[in-house]
Amino acid sequence: MIAAFLQRFGIGGETPAARTSPATPPQEFDAVLLWSGLGLLMFGLVMVYSASIAMAEGSRFTGYQANYFLIRHSLFLAIGLVCGAAAFQIPLRIWQQIAPYLFILGVFLLVLVIMPMIGRSVNGAQRWLPLGPINLQPSELMKLFAVLYAADYTNRKLADMGSFKKGFGPMAMVMLLVGFLLLKEPDFGAFVVIVSIAIGILFLGGINVRVFGTLVLVLLIGFVILIWTSPYRRERIFGFMDPWQDAFGKGYQLSHALIAFGRGEWLGVGLGASVEKLFYLPEAHTDFLLAVIAEELGFVGVCVVVLLFALLIQRCFAIGKTALGLGRIYSALVAQGIGIWIGVQSFINMGVNMGLLPTKGLTLPLMSFGGSGIVANCIALAILLRVDWENRQLMRGNRA
């Protein structure tokens, strides 16, 4: 099922190891995956610093230090790389064994974060657990845990994927619980991403087509109801439809993001020369980092970001296809689940920045400022590299 889906859309292909002649030693890692991931991390570090200088200098919270966010982002990045290096040492069979327990841990953290006097509230959203000098955002870790758990669930239920009651029903109940907790924060963006991960992995695992079609329809209706019954979400939709009608109100963020894109033109105004980041564009170093990239580096800079994400996501599906060919179904679903996660979240963030989607509080994976997100992304990349490494070791053993 997974292979047919990939071939239908022209995704995947042999890894470099599969194309290597017997006389040439196979590579240990997928170079495209490794360098596209590192490229996004390093590019994000530079742009977070550029986008945050003005806010850091003008805030008492940061002590008026221009490099405040650079230091913190560098620290988070270092922690993420260390955690990623440790995660790479863990075989996929171990990840599969602990996946249910990690998912339970994620649910516990989501319950904990919405409890009064425990979770930290910012701008009306209670999404963080204060841990001394840093804040933990459980929804970011839950995205990773959802990939691992959904892949394990699908692998165990392959024979029941055609049944609504046995295949889809249990996962639906679990996702409803997670969705309820996320909407209590509220974190609608994380809810959309996690549901996309679960549904995408179930689809790749061979869920009944009629069940899948019905599910998509129900989800669309549910999203419309959630938006229409929530005043602040409804205001965001109206602001998205015509941001210039109330450019100083509900259309403020989007209008300034569009101004940033317009000022950037082809080559941008130059690195560090953005005007919109000077307290005009809210969340310039997090949700709207791409708008700053567009203003400073222009259309070319945005194309580089899109290309790096496209390469990364393509390698996710290619590595998953190779794992499937080797009979490693769980590893294949994990690799493709990570691709769905990064693909959906980056698509939503880019769409919001460009005015193609309503404003939503989702960061740009691997690039935006945020400790929990960066750490979770680094661990996900490490697991993906582990899948590829195990594929190559198995192919090497088969050739021997």
Side-chain angles (χ1 to χ4, degrees), residues 94-385:
I94 302 298
W95 283 113
Q96 184 174 5
Q97 291 171 5
I98 65 175
Y101 304 104
L102 291 176
F103 191 80
I104 293 172
L105 172 62
V107 172
F108 172 74
L109 293 175
L110 289 179
V111 172
L112 202 61
V113 78
I114 61 176
M115 294 181 66
M117 308 301 294
I118 296 180
R120 182 185 176 212
S121 180
V122 178
N123 295 330
Q126 193 164 320
R127 304 175 184 174
W128 296 269
L129 290 173
L131 301 175
I134 63 174
N135 294 310
L136 175 67
Q137 189 171 356
S139 60
E140 293 294 337
L141 297 180
M142 195 63 191
K143 295 170 188 175
L144 174 62
F145 298 160
V147 170
L148 298 173
Y149 176 74
D152 174 57
Y153 176 87
T154 304
N155 183 56
R156 289 187 283 107
K157 297 282 188 175
L158 282 176
D160 299 319
M161 279 294 103
S163 169
F164 178 87
K165 182 178 179 181
K166 295 181 179 180
F168 172 72
M171 176 61 77
M173 297 301 295
V174 170
M175 287 300 113
L176 283 174
L177 171 62
V178 173
F180 171 78
L181 295 173
L182 288 171
L183 292 176
K184 287 291 289 183
E185 295 185 8
D187 195 344
F188 186 70
F191 171 64
V192 171
V193 173
I194 290 174
V195 168
S196 299
I197 290 169
I199 299 306
I201 290 178
L202 287 174
F203 174 70
L204 292 172
I207 191 173
N208 184 282
V209 176
R210 286 181 297 178
V211 172
F212 180 78
T214 304
L215 173 63
V216 171
L217 180 61
V218 170
L219 284 174
L220 289 175
I221 295 173
F223 286 151
V224 171
I225 293 174
L226 283 173
I227 292 170
W228 192 256
T229 56
S230 174
Y232 88 93
R233 293 193 187 106
R234 197 164 60 242
E235 289 298 313
R236 283 187 171 184
I237 293 294
F238 294 148
F240 158 72
M241 294 175 65
D242 188 4
W244 307 109
Q245 184 179 14
D246 188 11
F248 294 99
K250 55 180 177 286
Y252 184 80
Q253 285 181 308
L254 179 54
S255 62
H256 279 279
L258 294 176
I259 291 171
F261 271 85
R263 291 193 74 245
E265 298 184 350
W266 289 99
L267 299 177
V269 297
L271 183 62
S274 168
V275 172
E276 286 300 318
K277 69 184 181 184
L278 304 178
F279 301 98
Y280 293 104
L281 181 62
E283 309 297 338
H285 61 308
T286 54
D287 299 352
F288 286 89
L289 185 66
L290 187 68
V292 177
I293 295 174
E295 185 178 4
E296 295 189 348
L297 304 179
F299 178 76
V300 173
V302 174
C303 285
V304 169
V305 173
V306 173
L307 176 61
L308 288 173
F309 274 110
L311 289 173
L312 180 63
I313 295 165
Q314 190 274 337
R315 295 319 300 160
C316 291
F317 283 92
I319 290 170
K321 180 180 179 181
T322 302
L324 181 65
L326 295 170
R328 306 176 65 232
I329 297 176
Y330 176 74
S331 298
L333 292 173
V334 167
Q336 293 163 355
I338 293 172
I340 293 171
W341 166 17
I342 296 176
V344 169
Q345 185 166 334
S346 59
F347 176 80
I348 293 176
N349 179 273
M350 292 177 186
V352 167
N353 276 253
M354 297 177 188
L356 302 176
L357 294 173
T359 304
K360 194 76 234 85
L362 274 178
T363 57
L364 190 60
L366 300 165
M367 297 189 71
S368 292
F369 177 82
S372 302
I374 287 293
V375 172
N377 293 158
C378 288
I379 294 174
L381 283 182
I383 294 174
L384 188 59
L385 284 168

